[in-house]
Amino acid sequence: MKPDVSLDFKFTSSVEKVWNALTDSDMLAKWIWNNDFKAVVGHKFQFRAEPSEWWDGIVNCEVLNIDEPNSITYTWASAGETTTVTWTVTKNADGTVQLRLDQSGFSEETKSRPGAIEGATYAWTEMGNKLGTVLS
């Protein structure tokens, strides 16, 4: 199944530093949101952002898979929608690190709403850019 959102980011940081940014709660808070993440399969956690009039600011998640330092997958449940987020870390031949985000499982109803997938893509792009700042 093709992911609904796929983004690639390239960093000059080490694989270990990028992996740490994906799996350390304090680091995640610097580029996504406050959280109670633990890199343990089966761990249920939340990302908590500022609520708005349209959203309570809570994303419920559960770690599904960890292949350190290559990939991590977790559920992403918010606003009545549950998707799966997978981060994949790859070291490039030039020494840079490629970080790929795949988010899949959006409902057909969500996919049919104008701007829904684009909104998710925009938000992840902003977070990925913020990660670049955190890593530098």
Side-chain angles (χ1 to χ4, degrees):
M1 177 170 76
K2 182 179 178 294
D4 299 310
V5 177
S6 288
L7 294 168
D8 286 294
F9 304 96
K10 192 173 181 179
F11 303 110
T12 56
S13 301
S14 68
V15 166
E16 294 75 21
K17 195 168 180 182
V18 173
W19 182 256
N20 187 57
L22 291 172
T23 59
D24 178 84
S25 178
D26 292 336
M27 288 295 290
L28 283 166
K30 291 179 181 179
W31 64 280
I32 298 184
W33 296 306
N34 289 330
N35 63 85
D36 56 346
F37 177 84
K38 290 182 183 156
V40 176
V41 172
H43 177 68
K44 293 181 180 178
F45 66 100
Q46 291 184 330
F47 282 108
R48 295 174 299 282
E50 284 293 318
S52 70
E53 61 183 285
W54 306 281
W55 181 52
D56 65 5
I58 297 172
V59 181
N60 291 299
C61 305
E62 181 178 353
V63 179
L64 300 176
N65 188 47
I66 298 173
D67 177 17
E68 183 177 351
N70 305 303
S71 67
I72 184 165
T73 302
Y74 46 81
T75 58
W76 181 275
S78 183
E81 186 84 55
T82 300
T83 60
T84 302
V85 170
T86 299
W87 295 100
T88 305
V89 181
T90 308
K91 187 170 185 173
N92 296 320
D94 65 1
T96 60
V97 173
Q98 194 81 18
L99 178 62
R100 181 174 183 89
L101 162 80
D102 289 315
Q103 185 174 19
S104 57
F106 284 96
S107 67
E108 290 305 317
E109 179 184 331
T110 296
K111 288 181 193 180
S112 68
R113 271 189 299 203
I117 300 299
E118 292 82 359
T121 300
Y122 174 81
W124 283 120
T125 300
E126 290 296 305
M127 289 179 202
N129 292 338
K130 196 170 180 183
L131 173 58
T133 302
V134 167
L135 289 171
S136 59

